[in-house]
Amino acid sequence: MIQAPAPPPPSRRRHDREIISLAVPAFGALVAEPLFVMVDSAIVGHLGTPQLAGLAVAAALLTTAVSIFVFLAYATTAAVARRVGAGDLASAIRQGMDGIWLAILLGIAVIAVTLPTAPWLVDVFGASDTAAPYAITYLRISSLGIPAMLVVLAATGVLRGLQDTRTPLYVAIGGFAANGALNAGLVYGAGLGIAGSAWGTVIAQVSMAVAYLIVVVRGARRHGASLRPDAAGIRTSARAGVPLLVRTLSLRAVLMIATAVAARLGDTEIAAHQIILSLWSLMAFALDAIAIAGQAIIGRYLGADDAEGAREACRRMVQWGIVSGVVFGALIVLARPLFVPLFTSDGAVQDTLIPALLVVALSQPIAGVVFVLDGVLMGAGDGRYLAWAMLVTLAVFAPVALLVPVIGGGLTALWWAMALMMTVRMVTLWLRTRSGKWIVTGATR
């Protein structure tokens, strides 16, 4: 007689419910950012290859300008979640407000740097003479939305720390719909070309920031948290984010090097690279949904002095990451005949991107582990280790990627270098989680 398998232990079911309840809405919110770029790529791609190549360079620069400050979301999530675990909601929201004020100040500073240096930045990235004007136009207009983008990051961190990933999902859906409609209308309807795409994205991002601020301000008033800027609190938020800033700068350096190498391979290669990078980012943000759940859950367990709960949650999330990576890799392979023509009708670009896309598919299980462990250590506030681990990864990746134009292999070789980068990250993060040194309990680390 065949017996039914034993049901999973209660702790596993509990962790699964927590992960699903946080990760599923977080998935929808996280994919909004790469979907913004994908919509822009699909619309601009049909204007021509030079326009798409220009977008590739500008999008890489803008993503870098914003993503280096992703600590506004990650550090805020961990800090707020710890205070939630300790039962202090007013302090949790006050911590989040400090992060929002810091986001506004940083956004203004980034605009001040980006606007006058746009031509130089595009040139440094090696954009061709035909692509450079389009890259400059898109970069200058889109930079005006950077403060709104940073506010979105900080406010998202507040809500995640409060164990609320549904509100960011609703805001992301509205922002994505607005972005698609505005881009199509301004690019083709108004005949603004690539400038219309940039303006559509800026308007959508500002609308999202306003929606987030309304939600956070209501929560602050409900729990009696001050809305006024506090210099000491802003400085504390900035100091807490420094290690994650180093970590993110190193990661962005990896992506910038990859884009710069692709740009020097030619317009066909950089156009193909932009499409692959958009899809890679979509898969990365999708896998990061589990990591977001990890940040909130791990922070809450550690704030409540439950070290064993944090360990169990970590183990279960790694299993989720591996399975999700396998599924996403299979989807890339099976669906490539459907989505590739949506981005470009250029046969040369299609022929260039397909072999590299298969490399991306093969590396997705590794990416699943990387993003989950990254989220676990962020939730624990283990920023210093994350900074050092990413610096080691950059040191391994940079020389390999820069050799691609010399040794040959084209875009496919470049994406094998990206797969190596993810493998190094997986090893360094696994060693840390295995050591247990990341487990520090209490309302603050």
Side-chain angles (χ1 to χ4, degrees):
M1 180 177 179
I2 300 176
Q3 295 183 345
S11 61
R12 177 176 292 185
R13 289 199 298 267
R14 183 181 72 249
H15 289 311
D16 285 347
R17 286 194 298 269
E18 285 186 323
I19 293 168
I20 291 172
S21 66
L22 291 172
V24 171
F27 172 83
L30 283 168
V31 298
E33 182 175 335
L35 284 175
F36 271 39
V37 179
M38 289 177 68
V39 167
D40 290 356
S41 299
I43 293 174
V44 172
H46 291 286
L47 293 174
T49 298
Q51 287 89 335
L52 182 58
L55 173 64
V57 174
L61 287 164
L62 282 165
T63 304
T64 299
V66 174
S67 295
I68 59 175
F69 300 116
V70 74
F71 69 84
L72 291 166
Y74 292 158
T76 302
T77 297
V80 171
R82 276 183 177 267
R83 286 164 174 78
V84 169
D88 190 353
L89 288 178
S91 176
I93 296 176
R94 175 65 258 182
Q95 178 79 27
M97 287 304 305
D98 292 335
I100 290 174
W101 282 110
L102 178 61
I104 293 171
L105 295 174
L106 291 173
I108 294 171
V110 173
I111 288 179
V113 172
T114 304
L115 284 178
T117 61
W120 176 79
L121 291 169
V122 169
D123 182 65
V124 167
F125 260 65
S128 68
D129 292 340
T130 56
Y134 298 109
I136 294 170
T137 296
Y138 191 93
L139 179 60
R140 279 181 165 159
I141 295 172
S142 293
S143 67
L144 300 177
I146 288 176
M149 296 165 75
L150 298 190
V151 167
V152 166
L153 285 177
T156 300
V158 177
L159 297 179
R160 290 173 182 168
L162 293 170
Q163 317 295 296
D164 176 10
T165 56
R166 292 184 179 273
T167 300
L169 171 62
Y170 301 145
V171 176
I173 291 173
F176 174 69
N179 181 64
L182 287 166
N183 269 260
L186 294 174
V187 172
Y188 297 113
L192 297 180
I194 196 170
S197 177
W199 280 117
T201 301
V202 168
I203 295 170
Q205 289 162 344
V206 171
S207 300
M208 291 173 67
V210 170
Y212 272 116
L213 287 175
I214 290 172
V215 173
V216 174
V217 168
R218 285 177 178 173
R221 288 175 175 169
R222 187 182 309 118
H223 295 285
S226 174
L227 297 173
R228 295 180 179 179
D230 177 69
I234 294 172
R235 286 195 298 270
T236 299
S237 294
R239 284 195 298 269
V242 168
L244 290 180
L245 176 61
V246 173
R247 170 257 181 202
T248 304
L249 283 171
S250 301
L251 178 57
R252 296 313 308 176
V254 166
L255 299 179
M256 288 174 69
I257 289 170
T259 299
V261 170
R264 283 165 172 76
L265 293 174
D267 280 2
T268 297
E269 285 76 9
I270 185 60
H273 177 75
Q274 169 61 18
I275 295 170
I276 296 172
L277 192 60
S278 297
L279 293 166
W280 185 82
S281 297
L282 175 61
M283 294 297 102
F285 277 91
L287 291 170
D288 206 27
I290 305 171
I292 295 302
Q295 291 175 36
I297 293 170
I298 296 296
R300 192 189 73 237
Y301 275 125
L302 295 179
D305 296 323
D306 188 353
E308 185 55 34
R311 289 190 186 93
E312 290 179 359
C314 174
R315 286 192 291 267
R316 189 57 178 160
M317 283 182 286
V318 168
Q319 294 170 358
W320 275 73
I322 294 171
V323 173
S324 299
V326 171
V327 171
F328 291 141
L331 285 175
I332 291 174
V333 174
L334 296 175
R336 70 185 188 280
L338 300 177
F339 62 74
V340 169
L342 294 177
F343 292 101
T344 180
S345 56
D346 189 322
V349 175
Q350 292 182 4
D351 291 342
T352 300
L353 70 85
I354 288 177
L357 197 60
L358 295 178
V359 177
V360 174
L362 289 172
S363 65
Q364 287 306 295
I366 296 173
V369 176
V370 168
F371 283 101
V372 166
L373 294 183
D374 212 34
V376 167
L377 296 184
M378 284 182 187
D382 200 9
R384 289 188 178 182
Y385 183 84
L386 288 172
W388 282 110
M390 199 60 227
L391 286 171
V392 170
T393 301
L394 175 60
V396 173
F397 169 78
V400 175
L402 293 173
L403 281 174
V404 167
V406 178
I407 63 177
L411 193 65
T412 303
L414 176 60
W415 278 94
W416 274 118
M418 292 287 286
L420 171 65
M421 178 271 296
M422 295 300 292
T423 302
V424 174
R425 288 187 70 191
M426 182 181 68
V427 171
T428 56
L429 297 176
W430 176 76
L431 289 173
R432 184 63 168 183
T433 52
R434 186 183 181 186
S435 73
K437 294 179 180 179
W438 54 280
I439 299 177
V440 178
T441 59
T444 58
R445 184 177 173 88

